[in-house]
PDB file of all heavy atoms in Angstrom:
ATOM      1  N   VAL C   1     -29.980  26.192 207.529  1.00 97.00           N
ATOM      2  CA  VAL C   1     -28.764  26.728 208.146  1.00 97.00           C
ATOM      3  C   VAL C   1     -29.019  27.015 209.627  1.00 97.00           C
ATOM      4  O   VAL C   1     -30.152  27.063 210.081  1.00 97.00           O
ATOM      5  CB  VAL C   1     -28.313  28.029 207.438  1.00 97.00           C
ATOM      6  CG1 VAL C   1     -27.930  27.767 205.992  1.00 97.00           C
ATOM      7  CG2 VAL C   1     -29.397  29.110 207.518  1.00 97.00           C
ATOM      8  N   THR C   2     -27.945  27.231 210.360  1.00 97.00           N
ATOM      9  CA  THR C   2     -28.015  27.792 211.705  1.00 97.00           C
ATOM     10  C   THR C   2     -27.506  29.224 211.631  1.00 97.00           C
ATOM     11  O   THR C   2     -26.662  29.547 210.792  1.00 97.00           O
ATOM     12  CB  THR C   2     -27.166  26.988 212.710  1.00 97.00           C
ATOM     13  OG1 THR C   2     -25.790  27.013 212.305  1.00 97.00           O
ATOM     14  CG2 THR C   2     -27.643  25.548 212.780  1.00 97.00           C
ATOM     15  N   PHE C   3     -28.003  30.086 212.517  1.00 97.00           N
ATOM     16  CA  PHE C   3     -27.618  31.497 212.467  1.00 97.00           C
ATOM     17  C   PHE C   3     -27.997  32.169 213.777  1.00 97.00           C
ATOM     18  O   PHE C   3     -28.678  31.585 214.631  1.00 97.00           O
ATOM     19  CB  PHE C   3     -28.329  32.196 211.296  1.00 97.00           C
ATOM     20  CG  PHE C   3     -29.825  32.194 211.429  1.00 97.00           C
ATOM     21  CD1 PHE C   3     -30.503  33.234 212.047  1.00 97.00           C
ATOM     22  CD2 PHE C   3     -30.578  31.117 210.957  1.00 97.00           C
ATOM     23  CE1 PHE C   3     -31.875  33.214 212.192  1.00 97.00           C
ATOM     24  CE2 PHE C   3     -31.949  31.086 211.093  1.00 97.00           C
ATOM     25  CZ  PHE C   3     -32.605  32.141 211.713  1.00 97.00           C
ATOM     26  N   GLU C   4     -27.571  33.432 213.941  1.00 96.00           N
ATOM     27  CA  GLU C   4     -27.995  34.283 215.044  1.00 96.00           C
ATOM     28  C   GLU C   4     -28.442  35.621 214.483  1.00 96.00           C
ATOM     29  O   GLU C   4     -27.847  36.139 213.533  1.00 96.00           O
ATOM     30  CB  GLU C   4     -26.848  34.503 216.046  1.00 96.00           C
ATOM     31  CG  GLU C   4     -26.471  33.265 216.838  1.00 96.00           C
ATOM     32  CD  GLU C   4     -25.490  33.589 217.965  1.00 96.00           C
ATOM     33  OE1 GLU C   4     -25.388  34.788 218.317  1.00 96.00           O
ATOM     34  OE2 GLU C   4     -24.833  32.660 218.468  1.00 96.00           O
ATOM     35  N   TYR C   5     -29.504  36.187 215.039  1.00 95.00           N
ATOM     36  CA  TYR C   5     -29.948  37.505 214.627  1.00 95.00           C
ATOM     37  C   TYR C   5     -28.982  38.574 215.147  1.00 95.00           C
ATOM     38  O   TYR C   5     -28.473  38.471 216.271  1.00 95.00           O
ATOM     39  CB  TYR C   5     -31.350  37.790 215.136  1.00 95.00           C
ATOM     40  CG  TYR C   5     -32.434  37.041 214.390  1.00 95.00           C
ATOM     41  CD1 TYR C   5     -33.113  35.984 214.991  1.00 95.00           C
ATOM     42  CD2 TYR C   5     -32.782  37.400 213.095  1.00 95.00           C
ATOM     43  CE1 TYR C   5     -34.111  35.302 214.309  1.00 95.00           C
ATOM     44  CE2 TYR C   5     -33.775  36.714 212.410  1.00 95.00           C
ATOM     45  CZ  TYR C   5     -34.430  35.670 213.023  1.00 95.00           C
ATOM     46  OH  TYR C   5     -35.409  34.994 212.341  1.00 95.00           O
ATOM     47  N   VAL C   6     -28.766  39.596 214.338  1.00 96.00           N
ATOM     48  CA  VAL C   6     -27.856  40.675 214.737  1.00 96.00           C
ATOM     49  C   VAL C   6     -28.428  41.429 215.928  1.00 96.00           C
ATOM     50  O   VAL C   6     -27.719  41.700 216.904  1.00 96.00           O
ATOM     51  CB  VAL C   6     -27.622  41.631 213.548  1.00 96.00           C
ATOM     52  CG1 VAL C   6     -26.752  42.813 213.980  1.00 96.00           C
ATOM     53  CG2 VAL C   6     -26.965  40.898 212.385  1.00 96.00           C
ATOM     54  N   ASP C   7     -29.705  41.793 215.866  1.00 93.00           N
ATOM     55  CA  ASP C   7     -30.370  42.513 216.963  1.00 93.00           C
ATOM     56  C   ASP C   7     -31.749  41.897 217.167  1.00 93.00           C
ATOM     57  O   ASP C   7     -32.757  42.421 216.688  1.00 93.00           O
ATOM     58  CB  ASP C   7     -30.486  44.000 216.627  1.00 93.00           C
ATOM     59  CG  ASP C   7     -30.984  44.831 217.812  1.00 93.00           C
ATOM     60  OD1 ASP C   7     -31.271  44.237 218.879  1.00 93.00           O
ATOM     61  OD2 ASP C   7     -31.099  46.058 217.661  1.00 93.00           O
ATOM     62  N   PRO C   8     -31.832  40.754 217.851  1.00 90.00           N
ATOM     63  CA  PRO C   8     -33.115  40.043 217.967  1.00 90.00           C
ATOM     64  C   PRO C   8     -34.200  40.848 218.662  1.00 90.00           C
ATOM     65  O   PRO C   8     -35.370  40.764 218.309  1.00 90.00           O
ATOM     66  CB  PRO C   8     -32.753  38.778 218.758  1.00 90.00           C
ATOM     67  CG  PRO C   8     -31.481  39.113 219.454  1.00 90.00           C
ATOM     68  CD  PRO C   8     -30.757  40.063 218.566  1.00 90.00           C
ATOM     69  N   GLU C   9     -33.833  41.654 219.645  1.00 86.00           N
ATOM     70  CA  GLU C   9     -34.835  42.412 220.396  1.00 86.00           C
ATOM     71  C   GLU C   9     -35.556  43.414 219.504  1.00 86.00           C
ATOM     72  O   GLU C   9     -36.758  43.633 219.650  1.00 86.00           O
ATOM     73  CB  GLU C   9     -34.167  43.136 221.567  1.00 86.00           C
ATOM     74  CG  GLU C   9     -35.157  43.861 222.482  1.00 86.00           C
ATOM     75  CD  GLU C   9     -34.481  44.470 223.688  1.00 86.00           C
ATOM     76  OE1 GLU C   9     -33.266  44.224 223.883  1.00 86.00           O
ATOM     77  OE2 GLU C   9     -35.160  45.199 224.428  1.00 86.00           O
ATOM     78  N   ALA C  10     -34.843  43.995 218.556  1.00 85.00           N
ATOM     79  CA  ALA C  10     -35.443  45.015 217.683  1.00 85.00           C
ATOM     80  C   ALA C  10     -36.521  44.441 216.783  1.00 85.00           C
ATOM     81  O   ALA C  10     -37.418  45.170 216.351  1.00 85.00           O
ATOM     82  CB  ALA C  10     -34.363  45.680 216.846  1.00 85.00           C
ATOM     83  N   ILE C  11     -36.446  43.142 216.485  1.00 86.00           N
ATOM     84  CA  ILE C  11     -37.429  42.519 215.590  1.00 86.00           C
ATOM     85  C   ILE C  11     -38.254  41.470 216.321  1.00 86.00           C
ATOM     86  O   ILE C  11     -38.887  40.606 215.695  1.00 86.00           O
ATOM     87  CB  ILE C  11     -36.724  41.877 214.372  1.00 86.00           C
ATOM     88  CG1 ILE C  11     -35.660  40.873 214.811  1.00 86.00           C
ATOM     89  CG2 ILE C  11     -36.120  42.940 213.481  1.00 86.00           C
ATOM     90  CD1 ILE C  11     -35.021  40.113 213.653  1.00 86.00           C
ATOM     91  N   HIS C  12     -38.269  41.523 217.657  1.00 83.00           N
ATOM     92  CA  HIS C  12     -39.084  40.639 218.488  1.00 83.00           C
ATOM     93  C   HIS C  12     -38.741  39.167 218.256  1.00 83.00           C
ATOM     94  O   HIS C  12     -39.624  38.311 218.208  1.00 83.00           O
ATOM     95  CB  HIS C  12     -40.578  40.854 218.235  1.00 83.00           C
ATOM     96  CG  HIS C  12     -41.030  42.269 218.435  1.00 83.00           C
ATOM     97  ND1 HIS C  12     -42.250  42.729 217.985  1.00 83.00           N
ATOM     98  CD2 HIS C  12     -40.438  43.320 219.024  1.00 83.00           C
ATOM     99  CE1 HIS C  12     -42.382  44.003 218.295  1.00 83.00           C
ATOM    100  NE2 HIS C  12     -41.287  44.383 218.930  1.00 83.00           N
ATOM    101  N   GLU C  13     -37.450  38.859 218.099  1.00 87.00           N
ATOM    102  CA  GLU C  13     -37.018  37.481 217.919  1.00 87.00           C
ATOM    103  C   GLU C  13     -36.207  37.023 219.127  1.00 87.00           C
ATOM    104  O   GLU C  13     -35.771  37.821 219.951  1.00 87.00           O
ATOM    105  CB  GLU C  13     -36.179  37.347 216.640  1.00 87.00           C
ATOM    106  CG  GLU C  13     -36.988  37.387 215.356  1.00 87.00           C
ATOM    107  CD  GLU C  13     -37.830  36.137 215.152  1.00 87.00           C
ATOM    108  OE1 GLU C  13     -37.657  35.180 215.923  1.00 87.00           O
ATOM    109  OE2 GLU C  13     -38.660  36.126 214.229  1.00 87.00           O
ATOM    110  N   LEU C  14     -35.987  35.692 219.203  1.00 86.00           N
ATOM    111  CA  LEU C  14     -35.232  35.124 220.313  1.00 86.00           C
ATOM    112  C   LEU C  14     -33.737  35.223 220.048  1.00 86.00           C
ATOM    113  O   LEU C  14     -33.288  35.096 218.907  1.00 86.00           O
ATOM    114  CB  LEU C  14     -35.625  33.656 220.518  1.00 86.00           C
ATOM    115  CG  LEU C  14     -37.076  33.394 220.921  1.00 86.00           C
ATOM    116  CD1 LEU C  14     -37.346  31.898 220.972  1.00 86.00           C
ATOM    117  CD2 LEU C  14     -37.404  34.046 222.245  1.00 86.00           C
ATOM    118  N   PRO C  15     -32.941  35.440 221.082  1.00 91.00           N
ATOM    119  CA  PRO C  15     -31.486  35.471 220.906  1.00 91.00           C
ATOM    120  C   PRO C  15     -30.917  34.062 220.823  1.00 91.00           C
ATOM    121  O   PRO C  15     -31.629  33.072 221.008  1.00 91.00           O
ATOM    122  CB  PRO C  15     -31.009  36.187 222.175  1.00 91.00           C
ATOM    123  CG  PRO C  15     -32.037  35.824 223.211  1.00 91.00           C
ATOM    124  CD  PRO C  15     -33.342  35.752 222.474  1.00 91.00           C
ATOM    125  N   GLY C  16     -29.608  33.978 220.530  1.00 94.00           N
ATOM    126  CA  GLY C  16     -28.940  32.685 220.476  1.00 94.00           C
ATOM    127  C   GLY C  16     -29.016  32.056 219.101  1.00 94.00           C
ATOM    128  O   GLY C  16     -29.512  32.638 218.139  1.00 94.00           O
ATOM    129  N   THR C  17     -28.514  30.836 219.010  1.00 96.00           N
ATOM    130  CA  THR C  17     -28.466  30.121 217.733  1.00 96.00           C
ATOM    131  C   THR C  17     -29.855  29.651 217.328  1.00 96.00           C
ATOM    132  O   THR C  17     -30.567  29.023 218.106  1.00 96.00           O
ATOM    133  CB  THR C  17     -27.520  28.910 217.829  1.00 96.00           C
ATOM    134  OG1 THR C  17     -26.218  29.362 218.197  1.00 96.00           O
ATOM    135  CG2 THR C  17     -27.441  28.194 216.492  1.00 96.00           C
ATOM    136  N   ARG C  18     -30.232  29.970 216.092  1.00 95.00           N
ATOM    137  CA  ARG C  18     -31.525  29.589 215.555  1.00 95.00           C
ATOM    138  C   ARG C  18     -31.339  28.673 214.348  1.00 95.00           C
ATOM    139  O   ARG C  18     -30.247  28.589 213.781  1.00 95.00           O
ATOM    140  CB  ARG C  18     -32.343  30.816 215.124  1.00 95.00           C
ATOM    141  CG  ARG C  18     -32.329  31.988 216.094  1.00 95.00           C
ATOM    142  CD  ARG C  18     -32.859  31.622 217.453  1.00 95.00           C
ATOM    143  NE  ARG C  18     -34.196  31.078 217.390  1.00 95.00           N
ATOM    144  CZ  ARG C  18     -34.769  30.382 218.373  1.00 95.00           C
ATOM    145  NH1 ARG C  18     -34.080  30.098 219.465  1.00 95.00           N
ATOM    146  NH2 ARG C  18     -35.994  29.952 218.239  1.00 95.00           N
ATOM    147  N   ILE C  19     -32.393  27.987 213.935  1.00 96.00           N
ATOM    148  CA  ILE C  19     -32.370  27.116 212.769  1.00 96.00           C
ATOM    149  C   ILE C  19     -33.418  27.624 211.778  1.00 96.00           C
ATOM    150  O   ILE C  19     -34.544  27.928 212.162  1.00 96.00           O
ATOM    151  CB  ILE C  19     -32.678  25.658 213.150  1.00 96.00           C
ATOM    152  CG1 ILE C  19     -31.598  25.115 214.085  1.00 96.00           C
ATOM    153  CG2 ILE C  19     -32.789  24.781 211.902  1.00 96.00           C
ATOM    154  CD1 ILE C  19     -31.894  23.720 214.603  1.00 96.00           C
ATOM    155  N   GLY C  20     -33.048  27.712 210.519  1.00 96.00           N
ATOM    156  CA  GLY C  20     -34.000  28.192 209.525  1.00 96.00           C
ATOM    157  C   GLY C  20     -33.382  28.265 208.146  1.00 96.00           C
ATOM    158  O   GLY C  20     -32.469  27.503 207.814  1.00 96.00           O
ATOM    159  N   MET C  21     -33.856  29.209 207.355  1.00 97.00           N
ATOM    160  CA  MET C  21     -33.367  29.404 205.994  1.00 97.00           C
ATOM    161  C   MET C  21     -33.122  30.891 205.756  1.00 97.00           C
ATOM    162  O   MET C  21     -33.525  31.732 206.566  1.00 97.00           O
ATOM    163  CB  MET C  21     -34.369  28.837 204.980  1.00 97.00           C
ATOM    164  CG  MET C  21     -34.472  27.317 205.020  1.00 97.00           C
ATOM    165  SD  MET C  21     -35.688  26.641 203.846  1.00 97.00           S
ATOM    166  CE  MET C  21     -37.209  27.006 204.697  1.00 97.00           C
ATOM    167  N   VAL C  22     -32.500  31.219 204.646  1.00 97.00           N
ATOM    168  CA  VAL C  22     -32.215  32.598 204.267  1.00 97.00           C
ATOM    169  C   VAL C  22     -33.201  33.008 203.176  1.00 97.00           C
ATOM    170  O   VAL C  22     -33.328  32.316 202.154  1.00 97.00           O
ATOM    171  CB  VAL C  22     -30.764  32.747 203.772  1.00 97.00           C
ATOM    172  CG1 VAL C  22     -30.486  34.189 203.349  1.00 97.00           C
ATOM    173  CG2 VAL C  22     -29.784  32.303 204.864  1.00 97.00           C
ATOM    174  N   ALA C  23     -33.905  34.105 203.389  1.00 97.00           N
ATOM    175  CA  ALA C  23     -34.985  34.506 202.482  1.00 97.00           C
ATOM    176  C   ALA C  23     -34.508  34.681 201.049  1.00 97.00           C
ATOM    177  O   ALA C  23     -35.186  34.276 200.101  1.00 97.00           O
ATOM    178  CB  ALA C  23     -35.629  35.801 202.982  1.00 97.00           C
ATOM    179  N   GLN C  24     -33.336  35.275 200.852  1.00 97.00           N
ATOM    180  CA  GLN C  24     -32.833  35.491 199.484  1.00 97.00           C
ATOM    181  C   GLN C  24     -32.613  34.176 198.753  1.00 97.00           C
ATOM    182  O   GLN C  24     -32.813  34.103 197.540  1.00 97.00           O
ATOM    183  CB  GLN C  24     -31.541  36.310 199.521  1.00 97.00           C
ATOM    184  CG  GLN C  24     -31.734  37.795 199.754  1.00 97.00           C
ATOM    185  CD  GLN C  24     -31.846  38.148 201.224  1.00 97.00           C
ATOM    186  OE1 GLN C  24     -32.026  37.276 202.076  1.00 97.00           O
ATOM    187  NE2 GLN C  24     -31.722  39.425 201.550  1.00 97.00           N
ATOM    188  N   GLU C  25     -32.209  33.140 199.484  1.00 97.00           N
ATOM    189  CA  GLU C  25     -32.013  31.837 198.861  1.00 97.00           C
ATOM    190  C   GLU C  25     -33.348  31.164 198.554  1.00 97.00           C
ATOM    191  O   GLU C  25     -33.530  30.549 197.490  1.00 97.00           O
ATOM    192  CB  GLU C  25     -31.165  30.943 199.769  1.00 97.00           C
ATOM    193  CG  GLU C  25     -29.762  31.464 200.009  1.00 97.00           C
ATOM    194  CD  GLU C  25     -28.969  30.579 200.963  1.00 97.00           C
ATOM    195  OE1 GLU C  25     -29.519  29.546 201.423  1.00 97.00           O
ATOM    196  OE2 GLU C  25     -27.813  30.914 201.249  1.00 97.00           O
ATOM    197  N   VAL C  26     -34.281  31.285 199.460  1.00 97.00           N
ATOM    198  CA  VAL C  26     -35.601  30.691 199.255  1.00 97.00           C
ATOM    199  C   VAL C  26     -36.316  31.355 198.084  1.00 97.00           C
ATOM    200  O   VAL C  26     -37.039  30.704 197.321  1.00 97.00           O
ATOM    201  CB  VAL C  26     -36.445  30.819 200.539  1.00 97.00           C
ATOM    202  CG1 VAL C  26     -37.867  30.320 200.309  1.00 97.00           C
ATOM    203  CG2 VAL C  26     -35.798  30.048 201.688  1.00 97.00           C
ATOM    204  N   GLU C  27     -36.103  32.640 197.927  1.00 96.00           N
ATOM    205  CA  GLU C  27     -36.797  33.404 196.888  1.00 96.00           C
ATOM    206  C   GLU C  27     -36.529  32.870 195.489  1.00 96.00           C
ATOM    207  O   GLU C  27     -37.386  32.971 194.600  1.00 96.00           O
ATOM    208  CB  GLU C  27     -36.392  34.875 196.986  1.00 96.00           C
ATOM    209  CG  GLU C  27     -37.253  35.815 196.180  1.00 96.00           C
ATOM    210  CD  GLU C  27     -36.935  37.266 196.494  1.00 96.00           C
ATOM    211  OE1 GLU C  27     -35.870  37.529 197.108  1.00 96.00           O
ATOM    212  OE2 GLU C  27     -37.740  38.137 196.132  1.00 96.00           O
ATOM    213  N   THR C  28     -35.352  32.289 195.267  1.00 96.00           N
ATOM    214  CA  THR C  28     -35.032  31.753 193.943  1.00 96.00           C
ATOM    215  C   THR C  28     -35.799  30.477 193.637  1.00 96.00           C
ATOM    216  O   THR C  28     -35.942  30.097 192.473  1.00 96.00           O
ATOM    217  CB  THR C  28     -33.518  31.467 193.839  1.00 96.00           C
ATOM    218  OG1 THR C  28     -33.156  30.468 194.802  1.00 96.00           O
ATOM    219  CG2 THR C  28     -32.712  32.732 194.108  1.00 96.00           C
ATOM    220  N   VAL C  29     -36.286  29.784 194.669  1.00 96.00           N
ATOM    221  CA  VAL C  29     -37.014  28.524 194.493  1.00 96.00           C
ATOM    222  C   VAL C  29     -38.517  28.733 194.650  1.00 96.00           C
ATOM    223  O   VAL C  29     -39.315  28.256 193.835  1.00 96.00           O
ATOM    224  CB  VAL C  29     -36.520  27.467 195.495  1.00 96.00           C
ATOM    225  CG1 VAL C  29     -37.201  26.119 195.229  1.00 96.00           C
ATOM    226  CG2 VAL C  29     -35.010  27.320 195.447  1.00 96.00           C
TER     227      VAL C  29
END
């Protein structure tokens, strides 16, 4: 998926659109 972090600075992440997966979805596999 593509997504944006709600508060990237608080978790030391980059702002803007990112590409990745959702942990809750990955957890089932």
Side-chain angles (χ1 to χ4, degrees):
V1 296
T2 61
F3 62 92
E4 291 189 18
Y5 286 108
V6 176
D7 188 358
E9 185 175 353
I11 56 175
H12 304 166
E13 285 289 351
L14 296 175
T17 302
R18 316 301 304 163
I19 297 175
M21 292 179 283
V22 179
Q24 283 85 347
E25 297 178 1
V26 175
E27 193 171 15
T28 62
V29 185

